[in-house]
Amino acid sequence: MRKFLSLLVGLSIGAVIGALLATFFSPVSSDEFQANLKSHYQRALEAGREASARRRAELEEELGELRS
């Protein structure tokens, strides 16, 4: 458990440092950087919703087949 906690803390610190370095050394302005992040987040969220809807339809179809 102690090793896992150490790993988790190390990964978290690395992620924060990486995010800060990416922000500071980004070749675009801060407003454009934020807009890009928001755009990527929205696209990922939409892709997740679409995948969820497709999987739900597959499972509902499978359930219907099992019931009949």
Side-chain angles (χ1 to χ4, degrees), residues 9-21:
V9 169
L11 288 173
S12 299
I13 290 171
V16 168
I17 290 172
L20 288 173
L21 288 173

Side-chain angles (χ1 to χ4, degrees), residues 6 12 14-15 20 23 30 41 43 45 47-48 55-56 60 67:
S6 295
S12 299
L20 288 173
T23 302
S30 63
Y41 174 76
R43 279 190 269 154
L45 191 60
R55 182 65 178 147
R56 181 182 180 115
E60 286 176 349
R67 285 186 174 171

Side-chain angles (χ1 to χ4, degrees), residues 2-66:
R2 184 173 216 146
K3 286 185 179 184
F4 177 72
L5 185 59
S6 295
L7 176 67
L8 190 60
V9 169
L11 288 173
S12 299
I13 290 171
V16 168
I17 290 172
L20 288 173
L21 288 173
T23 302
F24 289 134
F25 294 109
S26 175
V28 295
S29 70
S30 63
D31 292 334
E32 189 176 349
F33 186 74
Q34 288 177 353
N36 287 342
L37 281 177
K38 187 175 183 179
S39 171
H40 288 302
Y41 174 76
Q42 291 296 331
R43 279 190 269 154
L45 191 60
E46 185 61 32
R49 286 182 179 147
E50 288 174 6
S52 174
R54 281 193 306 268
R55 182 65 178 147
R56 181 182 180 115
E58 289 173 5
L59 290 173
E60 286 176 349
E61 182 180 328
E62 197 174 309
L63 179 62
E65 291 173 2
L66 290 173

